[in-house]
Amino acid sequence: MSETTIETRDHIGIIRLNRPDKLNALNTTLMTQVIEALEQFDRDNNIRCMLLAGDQRAFAAGADINEMADATMIEMHHRNMFGRWDRIKKIRKPIVAAVSGYALGGGCELMMCCDIVVASETARFGQPEVNLAIIPGAGGTQRLTRAIGKARAMDLILTGRMITADEALAMGLVSRVVPAEQWFDAALQLCQELCEKAPMALQAGKDAVNSAFETTLTEGIEVEKKLFYMLFATDDQTEGMRAFVEKRKPVFVGR
């Protein structure tokens, strides 16, 4: 049985983690399927946005410990199990995460690879690896620190405690918190809103924001200016500004 379910709705590519008996624990097979689906949607000109979700009980409760429990240091080094995660950074289109229930360990790290996070009020977040005598290994120490600051990241990573959706929102870890019954539909509606925007502008905006995390302010502003000017070579920029002047809704075609 596939460990993900994949579908499209209009211009949205939807990927759902599908290991409900394991609370969607992330094993090699599941992550390979997720990354390959993201890359396929990224190449598909009909897709403008992607939605990544688990189920009501869990986005993903962590990595599959059974794959690591008996491994040696040399084996883990050769497996390079997190190397494939770097491919997520190269996805150009927006990725929205719909999170209900647990997003812990690798699940929290996968969520942080997404661009916008819509969380159920029932969601719980954390990096509990310290309880297994390890640390986050898929970017958790780095992305969490950039998202919520050193003091809070130290608290969560060194204690392994979980936080609520409201705490995560206040810290800046998630984008929105919605009622439990709306967690998936609200994320899907957000994707539909994104699909109405100019695709190249979405991608440029994503690139520019991400550059703020990996460059100096001066370098980031240069990236922003180049992307801003580049968009004036697109048909969608012409349509967007003409529609504004003509007081009508723009129709974007993705070029």
Side-chain angles (χ1 to χ4, degrees):
M1 183 178 71
S2 175
E3 302 202 336
T4 58
T5 61
I6 298 170
E7 64 174 306
T8 61
R9 299 190 193 180
D10 298 324
H11 297 294
I12 305 168
I14 302 173
I15 306 166
R16 298 194 69 159
L17 312 184
N18 189 35
R19 300 187 75 203
D21 57 324
K22 302 291 186 181
L23 293 177
N24 294 327
L26 307 177
N27 63 10
T28 300
T29 300
L30 184 150
M31 283 305 303
T32 298
Q33 291 177 3
V34 167
I35 293 167
E36 289 180 350
L38 288 171
E39 291 175 336
Q40 182 175 345
F41 284 140
D42 206 36
R43 293 190 296 267
D44 187 340
N45 291 333
N46 186 57
I47 297 299
R48 297 186 178 185
C49 179
M50 303 167 212
L51 175 58
L52 181 61
D55 56 40
Q56 191 167 8
R57 294 176 63 208
F59 177 73
D64 191 333
I65 303 304
N66 291 325
E67 286 193 337
M68 297 183 281
D70 297 322
T72 67
M73 185 274 288
I74 297 299
E75 289 171 341
M76 291 298 288
H77 176 76
H78 286 311
R79 286 182 194 175
N80 190 25
M81 61 185 294
F82 299 127
R84 65 176 60 83
W85 288 54
D86 293 337
R87 290 156 57 187
I88 301 176
K89 291 171 53 179
K90 299 178 182 178
I91 300 297
R92 299 165 300 164
K93 298 171 185 175
I95 307 172
V96 175
V99 179
S100 179
Y102 297 112
L104 305 175
C108 189
E109 290 171 304
L110 178 59
M111 178 199 78
M112 288 190 288
C113 290
C114 300
D115 302 306
I116 304 177
V117 179
V118 178
S120 164
E121 60 192 356
T122 67
R124 297 293 181 268
F125 306 88
Q127 298 287 165
E129 287 88 348
V130 69
N131 296 322
L132 302 175
I134 57 174
I135 65 170
T141 62
Q142 304 305 300
R143 290 191 176 94
L144 190 65
T145 302
R146 285 164 171 77
I148 68 175
K150 176 184 175 182
R152 288 167 167 168
M154 282 288 192
D155 182 357
L156 296 188
I157 289 169
L158 299 188
T159 68
R161 72 181 182 93
M162 289 190 292
I163 59 173
T164 66
D166 286 339
E167 288 178 289
L169 181 65
M171 291 180 183
L173 184 59
V174 304
S175 312
R176 306 179 184 185
V177 175
V178 299
E181 65 275 12
Q182 298 176 15
W183 69 278
F184 186 83
D185 290 342
L188 184 62
Q189 181 179 352
L190 172 59
C191 288
Q192 291 167 341
E193 293 173 9
L194 293 178
C195 287
E196 295 179 358
K197 311 299 182 185
M200 292 188 69
L202 289 177
Q203 294 174 31
K206 173 175 174 171
D207 286 346
V209 172
N210 282 336
S211 73
F213 284 86
E214 299 183 3
T215 63
T216 65
L217 176 60
T218 299
E219 292 169 332
I221 289 174
E222 285 302 311
V223 169
E224 178 186 88
K225 285 192 294 187
K226 289 177 181 177
L227 290 168
F228 177 83
Y229 298 144
M230 177 201 74
L231 290 170
F232 278 76
T234 65
D235 292 341
D236 282 344
Q237 174 272 327
T238 302
E239 165 65 8
M241 292 194 173
R242 283 180 179 169
F244 179 83
V245 171
E246 296 168 6
K247 298 182 180 179
R248 60 175 174 82
K249 185 176 181 179
V251 179
F252 297 120
V253 295
R255 62 176 184 269

